[in-house]
Amino acid sequence: MKQKLFDKFAELFGNSDGAHFYFSPGRVNLIGEHTDYNGGHVFPCALTMGTYGAARKRDDRIIHFYSMNLDKFGVVEVSLDDLTYSQEYNWANYPLGVVWTFAGKGYKLDSGFDMVIWGNIPNGAGLSSSASLEVLTGVILTDLFGITDLSMTDLALIGQYSENNFNGCNCGIMDQFTVAMGKKDNAIFLDTNTMKYEYAPIKLDDAKIIITNSKVKHSLVDSAYNDRRQECTDALAALKTKLDIGALGDLTPEQFEAAKDIITDPVQLKRAKHAVYENQRTIDAVAALKDGNITKFGELMNQSHISLRDDYEVSCEEIDILVDLAWKIPGVIGSRITGGGFGGCTVSIVKNEAVDTFIESIGKAYKEKVGHEAEFYTVDIGDGASRLD
Ligand code: GLA
């Protein structure tokens, strides 16, 4: 990959002398969905799929971004003196937002830079191609400009800040955190309330984690996402009139059941219920995993899907088809929607001996019902973002 990227870099910018090579992964969330902006727990892992980058400082105040995946946008050129969002920059608004956030936090770059990327995370599939790119940019900037006082957690927070304030999606911290902090063969059990985390080894001797891409992305994803977030904020505000809590994640299901009548709006009630129960499911799932009880882990994944489908309402027909098909296959331990929702991917734990059947039978039935193919990826859990050379 490095050679391809560096050849392109040289073609665009004269040569690749002194450029460096970087990688930043995508992520898949095993359980704990839409809990990260509700002060709850998440349990994602970084993938070996991700975004590769080549970058080098310039002598002037120009920044160049080029994507080998989206070459139709050509070289996007921005001046360090005008770091503003522009529709025509398209994908480059993600790395640009990170430069803008660095500048806003006092890390003003003393020169521009050239950056070429290529990635193998399917776009818009809910596997965090944008967080991958944001954290990649953070790693590049700290490396090129010798910034030593920002930790990987800081780079995750910068990525989230830039996505919230530059790109307009009020996402939580899960994606950027996972991309920054990922560890090979481990998932991350993160409490988004305290930002305390621990790594949990994923050793499934007789099963695989399979991502199934529905290859649909329904429009208005960001606005629907922001709506969900607002509904949770409103539900929390109602609960706070009677309870001394800081987030929905502070409540156990029992405490929620005792207090829930304070929420008068039925939609807000469903959203809050999901957030509270999903948080508990995540805690229980990690405990089950530590006990070696993968069956229970799978059941909790299934319950997570039902809750996301019925109470949080972020699933869609195509994803429900994939999950229903998966649930019918013997050897499927658990299957659910993963990521923000409204299309994208499912994540399933499948016994080794059922993997071929899973891919063949779901692939066929999905094509028949929906009219296009699904894609399947076996998960290899990789490390977080870093410079590779
Ligand atoms: C998106 C967001 C995350 C998280 C998930 C849902 O991926 O970026 O912060 O909220 O949706 O769990």
Side-chain angles (χ1 to χ4, degrees), residues 27 29 32-37 128 171-175 225 339-340:
R27 70 94 189 88
N29 189 21
E33 215 67 83
H34 290 278
T35 48
D36 66 342
Y37 50 85
S128 292
C171 62
I173 189 60
M174 171 171 72
D175 303 350
Y225 183 93

Side-chain angles (χ1 to χ4, degrees), residues 104-296:
K105 294 196 180 298
Y107 296 97
K108 296 217 180 342
L109 309 184
D110 56 16
S111 77
F113 61 97
D114 296 324
M115 172 170 162
V116 176
I117 65 153
W118 177 83
N120 56 2
I121 309 170
N123 248 339
L127 301 176
S128 292
S129 54
S130 44
S132 174
L133 182 51
E134 288 154 7
V135 175
L136 179 78
T137 310
V139 169
I140 287 176
L141 295 183
T142 50
D143 186 51
L144 291 185
F145 296 92
I147 300 166
T148 52
D149 59 346
L150 291 174
S151 66
M152 289 307 283
T153 307
D154 292 330
L155 295 188
L157 288 164
I158 285 175
Q160 181 201 18
Y161 184 92
S162 105
E163 182 142 350
N164 291 170
N165 297 289
F166 198 80
N167 287 284
C169 180
N170 283 327
C171 62
I173 189 60
M174 171 171 72
D175 303 350
Q176 292 81 3
F177 191 86
T178 314
V179 166
M181 302 296 290
K183 184 172 163 187
K184 187 173 163 42
D185 296 331
N186 282 260
I188 310 175
F189 184 40
L190 169 69
D191 178 349
T192 62
N193 209 8
T194 58
M195 294 301 282
K196 285 204 177 119
Y197 65 95
E198 66 182 85
Y199 292 107
I202 303 286
K203 283 187 278 180
L204 303 175
D205 295 332
D206 60 351
K208 299 227 165 354
I209 302 173
I210 311 257
I211 296 172
T212 308
N213 187 353
S214 69
K215 306 203 79 177
V216 291
K217 185 189 180 195
H218 291 286
S219 53
L220 302 177
V221 175
D222 285 1
S223 67
Y225 183 93
N226 291 345
D227 290 347
R228 295 297 179 284
R229 189 165 181 160
Q230 188 58 48
E231 285 152 4
C232 287
T233 306
D234 294 344
L236 176 65
L239 290 168
K240 275 179 147 177
T241 59
K242 298 267 168 60
L243 299 177
D244 183 21
I245 53 168
L248 293 174
D250 290 344
L251 292 175
T252 62
E254 295 72 29
Q255 290 166 331
F256 175 74
E257 289 301 328
K260 68 180 185 191
D261 292 344
I262 309 168
I263 307 170
T264 51
D265 181 286
V267 172
Q268 289 172 23
L269 183 62
K270 287 205 282 186
R271 307 300 192 240
K273 179 181 164 211
H274 167 78
V276 171
Y277 278 79
E278 179 76 356
N279 183 37
Q280 189 62 50
R281 273 191 288 274
T282 309
I283 296 167
D284 293 347
V286 175
L289 188 75
K290 284 183 181 164
D291 284 350
N293 190 348
I294 193 73
T295 307
K296 175 149 186 220

Side-chain angles (χ1 to χ4, degrees), residues 30-45:
L30 301 178
I31 192 161
E33 215 67 83
H34 290 278
T35 48
D36 66 342
Y37 50 85
N38 285 310
H41 292 75
V42 293
F43 195 51
C45 50

